[in-house]
Amino acid sequence: METASLKHAEAAEAFLRDEENADWHNETLWFVRSKRDRAAHSLPEWEQLREQASQIKTHTLSRLDDYLIQLEENAKKNGITVHWAANGDEHNRIVHSILQQHNASKIVKSKSMLTEECHLNPYLIERGIEVIDTDLGERIIQLRNEPPSHIVMPAIHLKKKHIGDLFHQHLGTEAGAEDPQYLTEAARIHLRQKFLMADVAITGVNFAIAETGGFVVCTNEGNADLGAHLAKVHIACMGIEKVIPKAEHLGVFLRLLTRSATGQPITTFSSHFRKPGPGQEMHLVLVDNGRTRQLASPDFRNSLKCIRCGACMNTCPVYRRSGGHSYHTAVAGPIGSILAPNIDMKEYADLPFASTLCGSCSNVCPVKIDIHQQLYKWRQVLGEAGAVESSKKMGMSGMDVLFSHPWLYRFAGRAGRWLMQKFPSLANKPSLNPWAIHRDMPKPPAQSFRDWYAEQNKKTNG
């Protein structure tokens, strides 16, 4: 079912129709969250690292313009061509103009959530460019014509059977094959040809260092290195919040990044790029796309600290049970629900409500972003701006009246219990009670806690 055009609640309902797959998705992400916990607990200085990372990011954001200028100056000294893009459209035009300068028609791309955010792939494909995503998970969803469902594990919503069927259709593997090694080797052979034929390689950037003018790309497959070293032109695309002041700060973030993401001690490849190789060109595209607007907002500035580890997704009970595609934005989950309304408040007004506000996301965030507090704040901002849909606004107004009048609250509770006791089938009818679509309503208590407490108090005190 196509979910890109649905709001979160509708897309989540579609995802939950396959209960077996939804359960598997929930358990798989909780397994990753558990690995993160073990990795974090193995470092006695974990909380100190989180505090250091948070303070470095706070300092960097307070002088972001200075560090970006320093990055540009040092990158140019290294022979890197630096470009500035105010938004996604300008970013795409810059990348396309570089491709045109080199008559490039085939590119390989490593995983980059920024290019997903800017919709670079469809932009280039419409202009006759062959774009091949080389991260295995990204290539899988590209063959399925889907967006990533997770920023670190883009195909986490798929099982081995899905991938076996996909590779049989597109890569000619044996029908019914599900062996991961066999399927991975088939993908490797397929992608190797694409690497060799590529004119240009595009990568993301995990961290850019103002002090040196270089940048770091983290992968587990080495695909960014292979593409960047084989192609004559390397284009690296980064959001402006990815800059850090000094090389000595890298150690803090590299120790936090993968432990938070997958529970690994370190990414298999932490590749440092500083200047183009002999006979090669290197371009660095710095993209704003709403980030300076976020920076100017005291309530949401901290979200720019994000290092895209995905830990908040792995722990979020809503994300785990509703799937990444239900968020209909490039960066899903709790952090995406903060970032997306900043780009388009009306389009993404549903996302801050896709949370229980339990705070688990904030607890695991390696840079201490107060994610659940920002989600709560977004709800207030959206309400004041009139961006909340009328049915939700009416419901919240009704609850405001209910909770503001204790007598009405008590009456409603008694009426609800009477209704559930006399007509239990109505309470479990999905058309009347959406809560009961995937759940059985519990048996109503004989009396409320308030009545029980008053009764006990009367017995005790006479």
Side-chain angles (χ1 to χ4, degrees):
M1 182 177 181
E2 178 60 53
T3 59
S5 60
L6 300 178
K7 292 298 182 185
H8 180 268
E10 298 164 325
E13 182 183 351
F15 180 79
L16 287 167
R17 284 179 194 145
D18 186 344
E19 289 191 25
E20 182 183 351
N21 197 60
D23 288 344
W24 172 83
H25 186 264
N26 175 46
E27 292 164 5
T28 301
L29 286 168
W30 188 251
F31 171 75
V32 179
R33 156 70 205 264
S34 301
K35 282 183 65 183
R36 173 262 171 207
D37 289 350
R38 289 195 293 275
H41 295 159
S42 68
L43 291 182
E45 67 274 28
W46 180 256
E47 289 303 319
Q48 186 182 352
L49 279 173
R50 289 181 71 208
E51 184 60 32
Q52 278 184 306
S54 179
Q55 290 187 14
I56 292 168
K57 283 287 187 179
T58 299
H59 167 76
T60 307
L61 292 173
S62 72
R63 294 183 52 195
L64 187 60
D65 52 344
D66 293 333
Y67 285 122
L68 286 171
I69 291 171
Q70 186 183 3
L71 171 68
E72 180 187 31
E73 290 174 350
N74 288 326
K76 286 180 174 177
K77 289 178 186 174
N78 297 337
I80 301 173
T81 304
V82 179
H83 309 261
W84 296 84
N87 51 46
D89 289 340
E90 188 173 7
H91 163 267
N92 294 344
R93 287 197 299 273
I94 290 170
V95 172
H96 187 228
S97 69
I98 298 169
L99 300 182
Q100 286 180 311
Q101 290 167 19
H102 294 273
N103 295 318
S105 60
K106 298 177 186 295
I107 68 169
V108 288
K109 186 163 74 69
S110 68
K111 188 153 65 65
S112 160
M113 294 313 299
L114 176 71
T115 59
E116 292 288 342
E117 173 187 320
C118 297
H119 307 293
L120 179 64
N121 280 18
Y123 181 91
L124 294 180
I125 291 169
E126 285 177 7
R127 286 155 181 78
I129 307 294
E130 181 188 76
V131 184
I132 301 296
D133 282 308
T134 57
D135 173 272
L136 179 56
E138 288 274 344
R139 185 58 180 151
I140 288 168
I141 60 169
Q142 187 180 34
L143 290 174
R144 287 173 61 93
N145 196 28
E146 289 180 349
S149 67
H150 190 289
I151 59 175
V152 175
M153 301 168 283
I156 192 64
H157 58 293
L158 300 174
K159 293 184 176 181
K160 289 183 288 186
K161 178 183 183 308
H162 299 133
I163 297 165
D165 293 343
L166 183 75
F167 280 13
H168 174 64
Q169 179 185 352
H170 291 278
L171 307 186
T173 55
E174 296 175 14
E178 296 184 15
D179 177 56
Q181 182 170 346
Y182 169 73
L183 296 174
T184 304
E185 287 177 355
R188 187 176 187 176
I189 294 169
H190 160 69
L191 287 172
R192 186 55 59 100
Q193 295 302 316
K194 302 297 183 184
F195 278 116
L196 294 172
M197 299 296 291
D199 303 308
V200 172
I202 296 178
T203 71
V205 172
N206 289 90
F207 306 100
I209 305 145
E211 177 186 47
T212 67
F215 56 90
V216 175
V217 182
C218 302
T219 70
N220 275 325
E221 301 166 21
N223 52 312
D225 301 67
L226 189 57
H229 286 96
L230 286 176
K232 290 184 178 179
V233 181
H234 175 189
I235 305 172
C237 307
M238 60 172 273
I240 56 175
E241 81 282 14
K242 294 294 184 72
V243 67
I244 59 174
K246 296 184 177 181
E248 67 186 44
H249 297 143
L250 266 177
V252 175
F253 292 104
L254 291 177
R255 295 184 78 195
L256 287 166
L257 177 63
T258 321
R259 284 182 172 91
S260 299
T262 60
Q264 296 170 247
I266 194 75
T267 44
T268 308
F269 297 88
S270 298
S271 306
H272 297 242
F273 296 94
R274 188 164 178 171
K275 61 182 180 180
Q280 293 182 315
E281 277 187 27
M282 186 177 288
H283 296 260
L284 182 62
V285 187
L286 304 170
V287 184
D288 183 336
N289 204 32
R291 287 163 174 78
T292 49
R293 187 164 58 244
Q294 197 97 341
L295 183 67
S297 171
D299 290 323
F300 304 115
R301 181 182 301 150
N302 271 351
S303 60
L304 293 175
K305 292 180 178 179
C306 179
I307 58 173
R308 302 292 193 271
C309 67
C312 60
M313 302 178 187
N314 302 339
T315 197
C316 176
V318 176
Y319 177 89
R320 286 188 280 115
R321 297 298 303 184
S322 61
H325 288 156
S326 65
Y327 290 81
H328 61 90
T329 182
V331 179
I335 188 65
S337 299
I338 297 172
L339 299 174
N342 180 60
I343 297 174
D344 188 330
M345 189 182 292
K346 186 176 181 182
E347 172 67 20
Y348 301 113
D350 58 319
L351 296 185
F353 293 90
S355 169
T356 62
L357 302 182
C358 66
S360 184
C361 47
S362 302
N363 289 340
V364 300
C365 177
V367 287
K368 292 193 166 183
I369 302 173
D370 53 341
I371 299 174
H372 71 295
Q373 297 286 359
Q374 294 193 35
L375 289 169
Y376 178 58
K377 184 64 183 179
W378 259 123
R379 296 182 185 186
Q380 298 170 50
V381 172
L382 292 167
E384 292 170 359
V388 177
E389 57 187 47
S390 56
S391 58
K392 188 182 290 293
K393 194 171 183 178
M394 286 177 62
M396 293 173 71
S397 298
M399 296 305 287
D400 181 33
V401 172
L402 184 68
F403 291 136
S404 300
H405 298 83
W407 67 268
L408 182 60
Y409 179 79
R410 290 194 294 274
F411 172 78
R414 291 193 182 98
R417 286 193 299 279
W418 180 84
L419 189 67
M420 290 174 66
Q421 288 166 351
K422 299 298 181 184
F423 306 99
S425 60
L426 290 179
N428 282 300
K429 202 174 182 62
S431 59
L432 298 176
N433 180 12
W435 198 89
I437 292 175
H438 295 285
R439 311 172 184 86
D440 292 326
M441 291 293 289
K443 186 178 179 182
Q447 60 183 162
S448 69
F449 174 77
R450 182 188 180 88
D451 292 340
W452 175 87
Y453 186 83
E455 186 178 297
Q456 299 304 311
N457 199 35
K458 188 175 181 180
K459 288 179 181 176
T460 303
N461 299 322

